[in-house]
Amino acid sequence: MTDPALHTLITTTSAGLLAYIALWSGLQTFNANPTNRFMRIWVKLALYYAAYTMPVWAVLLIIVWSQDLMPILAQLSLLAVLMAILMMGLYFYTVIVQPNRLRLEQHSIDLDLSTPLKVAVLADLRIGIYGGKPRHIRKLVSTINALSADAVLITGDWLYYPSADLVGQLMLFKGVNKPVYTVMSTSDLCYQSMNTTKQGQPLLEDTLASTFDVLDIKYIGQQCTPLPLRCTRVTNEQSVTSQPNSKSNKSDNIEQDNSKINSLVAVLCGWQDMPKKPTDIVTSEATDKAVLGTEIANATSPVIILASRFDSISDLPKSLQPRPLLITGAAKAIQKNILLAQKQNDIRRSSKQSVLFYNSRMGKQRGLYQHANAQIFVSSGIGTRGLPFRFYRPTIDVLTIR
């Protein structure tokens, strides 16, 4: 092959890659239905889809540099070329490979339960422009189904610029063979309240709340529900055999009468955050929280609180015995609040932490903390927001609560 022909091939390939990145990211931006920040989302998606092309760019760089096809690149040293290839490989790994390396982290927490309870905690799903692909959700669901857990707790932050068809995008969650409980984060509630066009028509085909109903997910914002011991500790083979009847069993057992709450293992309460609203609505929500706080204070069974924010601890009833367990996610704002609370000596890290994992740079704000009002577990998280890459593996935290 002559040099002109090779040059033409490389030029055509490069133009094709750039066209793919620009056009496909533009189409996916329209699919995300943004009411604003269109260009910002387009740029984020362009960075995301550019990661898929990194291996091709690396090959093109090697060919151009070795054949002296471009004077600028021909002047680069071998070390510079290797560094460029290494950066391309790292970018490909953190955007494409790392988000798929789902792992499980086991934790033990003492809550003075009459019978041990095992729950799987998921935080920061961020279904939308980066996450929520069918391959991601299938792996997540199959991993959850293989666990010998009594329930699945999701701390909110479900969405990050999702597509219009929420039910279609999340339908694979219907395959979970365990009861699922969730709250919404402030950003999730913003999607609910701001999900209208200028004409007042819904922008998304489905709201998140209606999607929970379709998927048999129990939304417990600002309310308490019994959390019974459901796990029979069966083998994986027995789990597969019983799967066809699991969904009907889940629906029957989640809706239990609250009068039986004291005879069950624990009480699960959703401590819901709310976006900024008019004063009268804020006053009503403060009243709802006061009622919920009274219900928590009067519960005779140990209380587990599911919240999307760490600073929900400040609104909890004081001097509860045994102290409730607050489960929350590890969003960026939460990590800042944890650091501030540690500096003020309001909380301290539990001595039972895994030194290998929690002393790592990216995981230092995750794990179990002790507070005067409650024990606090900060879950690691799964999804990606902001820029498309992530440096630590998505994690499902499995809590054995005794």
Side-chain angles (χ1 to χ4, degrees), residues 187-223:
S187 61
D188 292 333
L189 292 165
C190 286
Y191 278 108
Q192 294 275 105
S193 60
M194 298 173 63
N195 178 29
T196 55
T197 62
K198 291 182 179 179
Q199 292 74 33
Q201 299 298 317
L203 181 61
L204 298 182
E205 296 176 10
D206 310 288
T207 64
L208 191 55
S210 65
T211 302
F212 290 154
D213 293 336
V214 174
L215 302 181
D216 295 330
I217 294 175
K218 179 70 173 179
Y219 172 58
I220 57 168
Q222 298 294 69
Q223 59 182 307

Side-chain angles (χ1 to χ4, degrees), residues 136-333:
H136 298 153
I137 300 180
R138 285 194 191 97
K139 185 172 184 179
L140 185 61
V141 170
S142 63
T143 303
I144 293 172
N145 288 346
L147 293 173
S148 59
D150 299 294
V152 178
L153 308 182
I154 302 178
T155 66
D157 285 317
W158 277 83
L159 307 176
Y160 187 64
Y161 298 107
S163 65
D165 182 13
L166 275 181
V167 171
Q169 192 168 17
L170 299 177
M171 183 57 71
L172 289 172
F173 277 101
K174 199 173 179 67
V176 176
N177 62 4
K178 299 170 179 61
V180 181
Y181 303 88
T182 189
V183 293
M184 292 192 211
S185 66
T186 302
S187 61
D188 292 333
L189 292 165
C190 286
Y191 278 108
Q192 294 275 105
S193 60
M194 298 173 63
N195 178 29
T196 55
T197 62
K198 291 182 179 179
Q199 292 74 33
Q201 299 298 317
L203 181 61
L204 298 182
E205 296 176 10
D206 310 288
T207 64
L208 191 55
S210 65
T211 302
F212 290 154
D213 293 336
V214 174
L215 302 181
D216 295 330
I217 294 175
K218 179 70 173 179
Y219 172 58
I220 57 168
Q222 298 294 69
Q223 59 182 307
C224 294
T225 186
L227 190 60
L229 185 67
R230 296 182 45 85
C231 181
T232 58
R233 308 295 190 258
V234 295
T235 61
N236 290 340
E237 290 78 11
Q238 290 172 316
S239 298
V240 173
T241 303
S242 63
Q243 239 180 353
N245 297 324
S246 61
K247 187 57 66 176
S248 61
N249 292 337
K250 180 174 83 170
S251 300
D252 293 339
N253 285 282
I254 289 178
E255 301 296 337
Q256 297 192 35
D257 186 2
N258 282 341
S259 63
K260 301 178 182 178
I261 198 169
N262 293 333
S263 64
L264 298 170
V265 175
V267 180
L268 179 65
C269 299
W271 201 260
Q272 186 67 68
D273 290 304
M274 297 295 173
K276 293 182 179 180
K277 294 181 178 180
T279 305
D280 56 339
I281 299 180
V282 172
T283 303
S284 174
E285 290 169 352
T287 303
D288 292 341
K289 276 198 172 185
V291 172
L292 180 60
T294 302
E295 187 174 354
I296 292 173
N298 293 335
T300 56
S301 298
V303 177
I304 299 173
I305 300 172
L306 190 61
S308 61
R309 294 177 62 88
F310 158 78
D311 49 14
S312 300
I313 193 71
S314 61
D315 297 324
L316 291 179
K318 307 297 189 295
S319 304
L320 294 178
Q321 292 298 327
R323 288 178 303 153
L325 171 63
L326 175 70
I327 298 177
T328 185
K332 185 176 181 180

Side-chain angles (χ1 to χ4, degrees), residues 70-86:
M70 292 183 63
I72 296 178
L73 296 181
Q75 297 175 2
L76 296 177
S77 64
L78 176 60
L79 179 60
V81 173
L82 292 177
M83 287 296 296
I85 294 173
L86 178 63

Side-chain angles (χ1 to χ4, degrees), residues 85 88 106 211 303 368 380:
I85 294 173
M88 292 179 188
Q106 303 286 340
T211 302
V303 177
L368 183 63
S380 302

